Amino acid sequence: MNTENNELKKMMLHATLLANMTLLKEKMPTLYDFFKNYHPINTGVVIDDNGDENLYNNNQFVYKEPPQSLAKKQVTKFLEKPAYYSYEIGHQSDEDIAFKHAALLKSIYNVRSNNTDNKISNPANESQLDFVCFLGGGLGYQIEVLLSMKSVPNVFLFEPNKDSFYALLHCIELRPLFEKCTNKGGRFSIRVGGDEHNVVNEISSFLFQQGHFNMSVMYFFKHYDSPLMTKIVEKIKVAGHSMHAGWGFFEDEIIGLSHTLANLNAKFPILKKPSLFKNPLQDSPVFVVANGPSLDLAIDFLKENQENVIIISCGTALKALLVNKIVPDIHVEMERVAGLLDWVNVVERTNDLTVKLKDLNIVALNTVYDEVLKRFKTAYLLPKVSDCGGSFIRGLDMKAQYTYPEYINPTVSNTSLAIADKLGFKDVYLVGMDFGFVSLDNHHSKHSIYFDSDFKHKELMKKLMKGDMYVKGNFRDRVLTTYTFDSSKFNIELLLEENKHIHAFNTSDGAFISNTIPKKIADIEINEKINNKKEKITKLLKEASSLDITQLSEIDNNIAEIKTRTKLILGHLISITTPYFNDRENLANAFTIQNKILLGLYGSPNHNDVSVYWLIQGTFRYFQTYIMVNTYYYSNSESRAEFMNACIDAFHSHLNDIYIEFVENYDKPAKV
């Protein structure tokens, strides 16, 4: 009889596999293509001595008890004490708040703080768990159990082992689980194989598609412990900070657009695609110089070799170079606020400098204040791809001649490396790109503005340079870093990963950077001099850029359309959250609908709609996520409903207020 039961179970396992392959073929064709003729190597599903499905590996059963019983125990334990990440914002002191969005976000915090005990008790007590990451699939029974007990619109399943996932395909039918998610407007996503970086990237993409408010509370269901699973959870928690660091706000985008318009009216040329010009200096070594503490170790080398190499200076590294009589060939800036002018003008205020801003070339993002660019000898623009102003330029680019590089944020080091790439340079040395520090007191070059006796922001820098975690070092075991530095380093790595033609050398005694070769500055030998370097750089920048004057005639028409479309779209988005919400689940559904509308703008063939997307998307992401996470602090349903509806009403008023500010200030300088 047992034999008959086992045969029947084997038939059912095979039938489940066939059903799952049909689903994968429909919904996840890449996975289907990989597994359609798959043969497991080390691990497989079998019927064990107790007649239960089990994994078999290394001549033994993996599960020591019935897998379905284990799944129920794991779910019970998870619901009693869930592992999760919750979204947080660090608020400024009241006297430092310059923007309306910052004031409103802090007021939301203040209300919640005054009305609750400031603790999230157990978010798994909610009837709906918005986003669960299942880390390790096993045979999958724990997924079935949890989704039978809780509403879970969004599921991300990561199984590192291909054999194990193939076994899972025999045991649980995925279609009902898939449909449970999609019927709620959610998504069931699967990742098989890879490391913590792949998983974090896929989760980031998942949140972009489904709405970042799902990271307000993000659950981690670990089916088993392993070093990889631990790395994934830690990486997600770190990446959570960097994910929202670049969202931006409506107010930021107004500043960026106004500066873009001023820069276009000033007729600063825009960098073209590399295929549209030739760089005669492409084989010359390029030193991209940032302001990390390792810059001090490279000063003598740069001074000695400055006629033999191309030097690109990043932001505040400029003063450190000039006081040491090192003149960069190209300077780069990327911050949008008008206050940047004060930082750049430190060069003009520094005694004994024979080289001034008017002697230098600058390449800057389109968002940089035009009064900064006008201080330089020549100025060129690099369109910022994830930006209202950058999208606006793209809408004017009828000949599709400009370049729109990725990975240019969050620091000027990212922008500078992207510029070096788009100008066609191949051999790049990273100097002062420490992305961390050996000592908290030694966070930037000693020659830079940060160590001037009259530097106004010393206390702020102490707060920013506190260090959030340790990472692998370039020339030592580890260094301390911040979330921002780590995010910047990660984007450097992605840029280099996608541009294999760049040979990058990391000279910094800071963080290790993947896709670079560690090389101490003392070990670099430069053998050839660059003749007429200054003239060649001038010619390169001129030939690598363009501004088609005919495009400028479309500015007024495009701005008028953007204003009209913004008003209509904001009205539509606001209408979705106008009803009174009695529970958090209905609010989450409304946020999901809003996100789908925003994604429609993002994918629009109309560049003006894309500009509207970049104007407003960050504000929606921040407020959706922050309102949502704060609801978890309220255990009483009536108090929660009152709080979240008050937040939504305040958010609606804020949107209307900032829209009026946009209409009135889109062509005026930054307010800070």
Side-chain angles (χ1 to χ4, degrees):
M1 190 67 178
N2 284 340
T3 302
E4 290 181 9
N5 284 340
N6 287 352
E7 288 303 315
L8 181 60
K9 283 197 171 186
K10 288 178 182 179
M11 291 172 62
M12 292 175 65
L13 291 176
H14 185 67
T16 302
L17 172 67
L18 294 178
N20 283 331
M21 293 306 295
T22 300
L23 175 74
L24 294 183
K25 188 174 183 180
E26 289 174 24
K27 306 296 184 182
M28 304 174 192
T30 303
L31 274 181
Y32 170 78
D33 288 340
F34 186 86
F35 284 102
K36 62 182 178 182
N37 297 311
Y38 189 77
H39 298 286
I41 302 169
N42 298 313
T43 304
V45 63
V46 296
I47 306 300
D48 65 20
D49 298 338
N50 297 316
D52 296 311
E53 300 88 345
N54 208 322
L55 282 174
Y56 195 72
N57 176 262
N58 291 329
N59 297 316
Q60 61 181 349
F61 297 116
V62 172
Y63 293 103
K64 305 308 178 187
E65 62 179 293
Q68 296 195 36
S69 299
L70 175 63
K72 291 175 182 177
K73 290 179 183 178
Q74 284 192 328
V75 170
T76 299
K77 185 177 179 181
F78 170 78
L79 292 176
E80 288 173 351
K81 192 174 181 180
Y84 65 92
Y85 162 88
S86 61
Y87 174 81
E88 295 177 1
I89 291 178
H91 295 285
Q92 298 168 290
S93 59
D94 290 346
E95 60 270 18
D96 291 331
I97 291 177
F99 290 99
K100 295 174 183 177
H101 64 253
L104 180 54
L105 286 167
K106 189 170 184 181
S107 72
I108 291 172
Y109 167 80
N110 288 338
V111 171
R112 180 263 286 176
S113 184
N114 290 332
N115 294 340
T116 72
D117 61 3
N118 284 318
K119 294 178 182 176
I120 297 176
S121 54
N122 179 359
N125 288 335
E126 300 281 327
S127 61
Q128 176 169 297
L129 313 184
D130 293 349
F131 183 26
V132 179
C133 299
F134 288 94
L135 304 178
L139 297 181
Y141 295 121
Q142 72 280 6
I143 306 172
E144 280 188 330
V145 174
L146 183 61
L147 267 64
S148 70
M149 297 176 67
K150 295 286 185 178
S151 170
V152 185
N154 294 292
V155 168
F156 176 82
L157 167 62
F158 170 64
E159 172 50 63
N161 186 282
K162 298 177 181 65
D163 283 1
S164 292
F165 181 72
Y166 190 65
L168 178 151
L169 291 176
H170 291 74
C171 296
I172 63 166
E173 191 171 347
L174 293 173
R175 189 179 294 277
L177 305 178
F178 186 93
E179 290 176 349
K180 277 187 177 182
C181 293
T182 55
N183 289 341
K184 297 182 179 74
R187 182 182 177 195
F188 193 110
S189 181
I190 300 170
R191 166 89 199 190
V192 180
D195 59 16
E196 67 271 22
H197 303 290
N198 303 128
V199 173
V200 168
N201 287 344
E202 202 142 327
I203 289 175
S204 179
S205 176
F206 187 107
L207 290 167
F208 177 78
Q209 293 293 330
Q210 293 304 115
H212 281 85
F213 68 89
N214 288 295
M215 69 185 289
S216 57
V217 170
M218 188 161 49
Y219 302 87
F220 309 118
F221 191 121
K222 288 198 290 185
H223 184 54
Y224 56 86
D225 282 313
S226 74
L228 176 58
M229 298 308 178
T230 301
K231 283 182 183 177
I232 288 170
V233 172
E234 290 306 312
K235 188 73 177 174
I236 291 171
K237 289 179 179 179
V238 170
H241 293 271
S242 59
M243 278 179 197
H244 64 78
W247 290 347
F249 287 95
F250 200 161
E251 289 171 278
D252 298 323
E253 297 300 324
I254 294 170
I255 293 169
L257 180 60
S258 69
H259 291 172
T260 300
L261 295 174
N263 289 328
L264 291 173
N265 288 328
K267 297 182 173 55
F268 295 131
I270 303 168
L271 291 193
K272 298 189 295 189
K273 294 176 180 176
S275 59
L276 299 180
F277 65 91
K278 182 171 176 58
N279 180 357
L281 294 166
Q282 64 180 2
D283 295 323
S284 300
V286 175
F287 284 68
V288 181
V289 182
N291 195 26
S294 293
L295 171 54
D296 295 342
L297 304 175
I299 291 294
D300 291 341
F301 175 90
L302 292 172
K303 189 183 297 186
E304 181 181 342
N305 288 281
Q306 65 176 310
E307 293 305 317
N308 310 325
V309 302
I310 311 296
I311 298 175
I312 299 177
S313 59
C314 309
T316 54
L318 178 60
K319 185 221 167 189
L321 292 174
L322 292 181
V323 296
N324 285 286
K325 302 189 185 310
I326 301 166
V327 182
D329 301 291
I330 298 169
H331 180 60
V332 177
E333 293 287 355
M334 57 90 71
E335 297 292 343
R336 79 178 81 211
V337 293
L340 175 64
L341 183 59
D342 187 52
W343 291 69
V344 173
N345 271 345
V346 67
V347 171
E348 306 297 320
R349 301 192 301 269
T350 303
N351 296 328
D352 303 324
L353 284 185
T354 56
V355 174
K356 299 294 184 181
L357 298 178
K358 63 180 176 58
D359 302 311
L360 303 172
N361 307 302
I362 185 172
V363 180
L365 294 184
N366 55 278
T367 54
V368 171
Y369 185 32
D370 63 310
E371 290 300 327
V372 171
L373 303 185
K374 288 174 181 175
R375 297 292 198 276
F376 288 80
K377 180 178 73 174
T378 61
Y380 304 86
L381 305 178
L382 178 72
K384 184 180 179 183
V385 65
S386 302
D387 171 77
C388 176
S391 297
F392 187 80
I393 288 174
R394 212 165 197 162
L396 299 172
D397 187 11
M398 301 302 180
K399 297 179 181 177
Q401 61 181 318
Y402 302 138
T403 188
Y404 305 92
E406 302 279 354
Y407 312 123
I408 59 172
N409 279 354
T411 72
V412 69
S413 295
N414 300 99
T415 310
S416 300
L417 184 59
I419 288 168
D421 173 37
K422 294 307 178 185
L423 286 176
F425 292 109
K426 297 176 182 175
D427 295 323
V428 180
Y429 294 81
L430 309 182
V431 178
M433 282 197 199
D434 292 44
F435 298 124
F437 24 79
V438 177
S439 164
L440 290 174
D441 296 325
N442 191 21
H443 49 74
H444 286 88
S445 167
K446 294 291 185 184
H447 302 283
S448 65
I449 187 175
Y450 298 106
F451 294 96
D452 288 354
S453 59
D454 60 349
F455 180 56
K456 296 183 291 186
H457 307 290
K458 276 190 168 65
E459 291 305 312
L460 175 62
M461 287 308 300
K462 283 183 181 178
K463 291 179 183 177
L464 293 176
M465 295 296 117
K466 61 180 174 58
D468 297 308
M469 58 187 169
Y470 284 97
V471 294
K472 179 182 177 182
N474 195 38
F475 297 125
R476 60 183 73 224
D477 289 340
R478 65 179 192 170
V479 295
L480 197 59
T481 191
T482 68
Y483 291 129
T484 299
F485 282 161
D486 194 56
S487 175
S488 183
K489 177 181 79 76
F490 183 56
N491 275 352
I492 292 284
E493 293 170 339
L494 289 176
L495 187 151
L496 294 172
E497 177 68 27
E498 292 189 11
N499 295 278
K500 299 290 191 183
H501 58 273
I502 301 176
H503 306 120
F505 302 89
N506 182 8
T507 73
S508 305
D509 187 14
F512 174 79
I513 302 173
S514 298
N515 306 311
T516 69
I517 300 170
K519 196 174 185 71
K520 293 188 176 181
I521 201 82
D523 296 333
I524 299 172
E525 294 184 5
I526 305 297
N527 299 316
E528 295 185 19
K529 183 177 180 180
I530 303 174
N531 295 316
N532 303 315
K533 183 178 74 159
K534 191 173 182 180
E535 291 78 6
K536 288 178 180 177
I537 289 290
T538 299
K539 184 179 180 183
L540 168 63
L541 289 172
K542 186 174 181 180
E543 293 184 356
S545 62
S546 171
L547 183 65
D548 192 332
I549 301 302
T550 60
Q551 297 168 332
L552 302 184
S553 64
E554 294 298 315
I555 286 179
D556 290 343
N557 291 336
N558 286 6
I559 285 291
E561 183 181 349
I562 288 170
K563 286 192 286 188
T564 300
R565 292 289 293 152
T566 301
K567 184 176 183 179
L568 288 170
I569 291 160
L570 283 178
H572 187 194
L573 290 168
I574 288 172
S575 71
I576 292 164
T577 45
T578 297
Y580 190 88
F581 294 96
N582 290 306
D583 56 54
R584 193 190 60 77
E585 292 74 24
N586 284 327
L587 181 61
N589 293 340
F591 285 170
T592 298
I593 295 168
Q594 286 180 331
N595 189 66
K596 291 187 185 305
I597 293 169
L598 289 168
L599 286 180
L601 294 175
Y602 176 77
S604 172
N606 183 334
H607 288 292
N608 289 332
D609 273 3
V610 180
S611 294
V612 174
Y613 168 81
W614 287 115
L615 264 182
I616 65 177
Q617 59 82 32
T619 286
F620 273 87
R621 287 200 172 116
Y622 270 111
F623 278 94
Q624 284 181 341
T625 309
Y626 201 54
I627 291 169
M628 187 61 73
V629 73
N630 278 285
T631 64
Y632 285 92
Y633 290 84
Y634 289 80
S635 54
N636 178 276
S637 59
E638 290 183 6
S639 299
R640 172 184 285 188
E642 183 180 343
F643 169 77
M644 67 188 186
N645 282 283
C647 289
I648 292 295
D649 289 344
F651 180 45
H652 290 171
S653 297
H654 174 72
L655 289 171
N656 287 318
D657 185 29
I658 302 303
Y659 174 74
I660 293 170
E661 185 172 314
F662 165 53
V663 172
E664 294 177 349
N665 295 288
Y666 73 90
D667 57 352
K668 294 181 176 62
K671 58 186 176 185
V672 294

